[in-house]
Amino acid sequence: MLERFLEVFSNSKVVAVCGAGLSTASGIPDYRGENGVWVKDPRALAGAHIKNYLADVEIRKNAWRDRLSSPYRGARPNIAHYALDVLVQQGLLDLIVTQNVDGLQRMAGTASKKIVEIHGNINSSLCLSCGHTEPMENTLIRVEEGEEDPRCLIEVDGSICGGVIKSTAISFGQKIDPELIRNVQYSLERCDLILVLGSSLTVNPVASIVVKWVRMGKELGIVNLQPTRYDHLAQYLFHEDVGEILCLLADTLVEFPKVRSH
Ligand SMILES: [Zn+2]
């Protein structure tokens, strides 16, 4: 199957759809998946809902404490991100759609126009009143210096905004930017092969969008350690480490051994 897959991959317009499995080697746990933190811990899930976050100062204080010690902080891209970047640079991948909010694909050097972060990212903080954004690290430093629930310091119409701040990652109850969805639909419509990487396709809207296009005739490849509920739809199925398969693709198709030096 591998040989045929390599041949099809190199001759197709490919869109990659990435999930938590891509970033586990960077030390980031799966929050949204079937065995994710949010599923196992209902209190963490309640805090992840925008309504509760806005209404309850204790939930916000808790969230900021969590952000300080979060595995996201200081996480680095792993070999899977670098291999994907090589494939994009060589024109072998059209677009990377990621459900991850860690920002690691951009950190690996991939151009922003080649990535859709469908759930946003945690790299910036956002004022929910005036919309001001700034690097998350700036806000985390304020928390470290003692502000338990930091508020927006931007001056609006002569007074301090004071709005509630959160990360630019989408919370439950927040709407995904329709422009991002349109971008994903546009690319999937024009691709030949959808390559699902490190995702068990359990989280919408990405799961339902992918399945829709596969049912309309797009080829499907899945690389995921565990079986997924859509394995039966895949022409190319690898229950293997996503980093291994991506390195194999990059090394074989691009003859770019540099990818292994990361
Ligand atoms: Zn503000």
Side-chain angles (χ1 to χ4, degrees):
M1 188 198 289
L2 186 59
E3 218 165 279
R4 170 90 185 116
F5 174 65
L6 287 169
E7 191 190 322
V8 168
F9 182 91
S10 57
N11 291 305
S12 300
K13 221 169 160 52
V14 187
V15 171
V17 174
C18 304
L22 203 80
S23 293
T24 44
S26 294
I28 295 173
D30 179 3
Y31 284 89
R32 289 177 188 250
E34 267 174 357
N35 297 308
V37 178
W38 284 342
V39 177
K40 286 182 174 167
D41 180 357
R43 274 190 320 171
L45 178 61
H49 199 289
I50 186 70
K51 243 196 291 182
N52 302 336
Y53 187 87
L54 276 168
D56 189 338
V57 64
E58 291 307 320
I59 281 180
R60 290 199 298 277
K61 286 180 183 175
N62 207 18
W64 284 111
R65 271 195 302 273
D66 283 351
R67 286 185 188 114
L68 277 189
S69 57
S70 157
Y72 287 126
R73 210 178 174 198
R76 303 289 309 158
N78 65 64
I79 196 157
H81 299 106
Y82 289 114
L84 274 178
D85 182 54
V86 167
L87 294 170
V88 168
Q89 282 183 40
Q90 298 298 316
L92 289 162
L93 253 187
D94 223 42
L95 185 72
I96 299 172
V97 179
T98 184
Q99 303 176 87
N100 300 336
V101 297
D102 50 44
L104 294 180
Q105 193 60 55
R106 269 182 298 109
M107 211 187 282
T110 309
S112 294
K113 64 176 183 188
K114 289 291 184 184
I115 308 170
V116 173
E117 292 172 316
I118 201 87
H119 297 143
N121 66 66
I122 47 83
N123 304 132
S124 300
S125 58
L126 164 75
C127 169
L128 295 170
S129 298
C130 74
H132 173 74
T133 61
E134 64 179 292
M136 175 56 84
E137 198 54 31
N138 293 357
T139 313
L140 289 180
I141 288 169
R142 288 174 58 192
V143 179
E144 272 174 339
E145 287 172 349
E147 292 184 59
E148 290 183 288
D149 175 30
R151 295 302 191 92
C152 177
L153 298 174
I154 294 300
E155 208 178 297
V156 182
D157 298 331
S159 53
I160 299 294
C161 169
V164 167
I165 301 175
K166 68 178 284 295
S167 84
T168 46
I170 295 282
S171 296
F172 287 104
Q174 268 187 308
K175 206 165 169 260
I176 291 174
D177 181 353
E179 186 61 34
L180 296 182
I181 303 276
R182 268 197 296 275
N183 192 354
V184 171
Q185 297 276 24
Y186 180 88
S187 298
L188 289 181
E189 188 179 355
R190 277 152 191 79
C191 81
D192 310 304
L193 171 68
I194 303 172
L195 184 57
V196 172
L197 300 166
S199 168
S200 46
L201 286 178
T202 49
V203 179
N204 280 324
V206 166
S208 57
I209 292 173
V210 166
V211 170
K212 178 188 85 173
W213 286 109
V214 170
R215 295 219 155 105
M216 288 173 79
K218 304 296 178 185
E219 287 208 286
L220 176 66
I222 296 178
V223 184
N224 197 51
L225 272 179
Q226 281 84 33
T228 82
R229 70 178 70 169
Y230 299 112
D231 282 1
H232 63 286
L233 297 177
Q235 286 80 19
Y236 311 99
L237 181 63
F238 304 95
H239 289 153
E240 288 182 51
D241 181 80
V242 74
E244 286 291 315
I245 295 287
L246 285 172
C247 280
L248 187 78
L249 278 174
D251 284 345
T252 311
L253 300 175
V254 186
E255 291 168 8
F256 198 81
K258 198 176 143 200
V259 73
R260 288 199 180 271
S261 68
H262 284 290

